[in-house]
Amino acid sequence: MKSFPIRGGLNTKYPDLADSYRIIAVNNDLYWFIRNSEYLLFQYETGQFTLKERIPFSLFENPSNEDRGNIYIDEKGNSYFCLNGGFAFYSPAHSLMDKQRNAYPLTVNTAFAYNRYNSEYYYLPPAEDNTSSKEVLL
């Protein structure tokens, strides 16, 4: 576990982080703080924390339930936000705060929907022409 020298930076600059209920390490320098209303990505470098991304729950159609937000980090450092009945993808290489952001392709091969009222799964074809994948620009 990494220890951080206290220089008054994080608690002084971001006092609202006190209500964060989960902190998830992306790597040794990037950390997601999860609050009831947003995800915040901080970078730790040369003894200081810098806010890299702020993603409010209001961006999502079905955000996670209160105190249940979570993030899965894959081996490439991509983040998957666990939402209420779905997920959202985030790549630090394509940050929303990056002023030169270009569209990033995401290929979906298979998708299912679950109806919790009758406990049935439904296959969702990824393309209108029933091809095996559809490219979505994020």
Side-chain angles (χ1 to χ4, degrees):
M1 176 175 271
K2 189 172 187 175
S3 62
F4 303 103
I6 299 173
R7 297 187 184 169
L10 191 60
N11 290 335
T12 304
K13 287 173 69 173
Y14 305 101
D16 292 342
L17 289 179
D19 67 354
S20 298
Y21 60 86
R22 189 167 288 133
I23 300 172
I24 298 174
V26 176
N27 55 35
N28 285 337
D29 302 316
L30 290 172
Y31 300 88
W32 284 107
F33 285 69
I34 304 175
R35 302 176 64 212
N36 279 329
S37 60
E38 62 189 349
Y39 299 103
L40 299 125
L41 181 64
F42 284 90
Q43 181 174 16
Y44 182 75
E45 188 174 44
T46 62
Q48 295 293 319
F49 280 95
T50 306
L51 179 63
K52 291 295 186 185
E53 197 76 74
R54 180 183 299 263
I55 301 175
F57 283 7
S58 61
L59 285 179
F60 304 116
E61 188 173 321
N62 292 313
S64 61
N65 294 331
E66 192 170 312
D67 292 336
R68 294 187 141 196
N70 206 354
I71 301 173
Y72 168 76
I73 309 296
D74 70 13
E75 66 279 351
K76 294 179 182 177
N78 296 315
S79 302
Y80 297 85
F81 302 101
C82 301
L83 306 176
N84 187 11
F87 68 92
F89 172 78
Y90 173 87
S91 173
H94 297 87
S95 168
L96 292 175
M97 293 176 111
D98 179 3
K99 304 220 184 320
Q100 301 300 320
R101 183 172 185 261
N102 294 320
Y104 182 73
L106 171 67
T107 301
V108 177
N109 290 323
T110 305
F112 289 91
Y114 176 72
N115 184 331
R116 64 182 171 189
Y117 298 108
N118 62 11
S119 296
E120 292 183 10
Y121 288 91
Y122 300 95
Y123 173 72
L124 302 173
E128 291 175 3
D129 60 0
N130 291 323
T131 59
S132 62
S133 67
K134 180 178 182 179
E135 192 172 270
V136 179
L137 295 179
L138 299 175

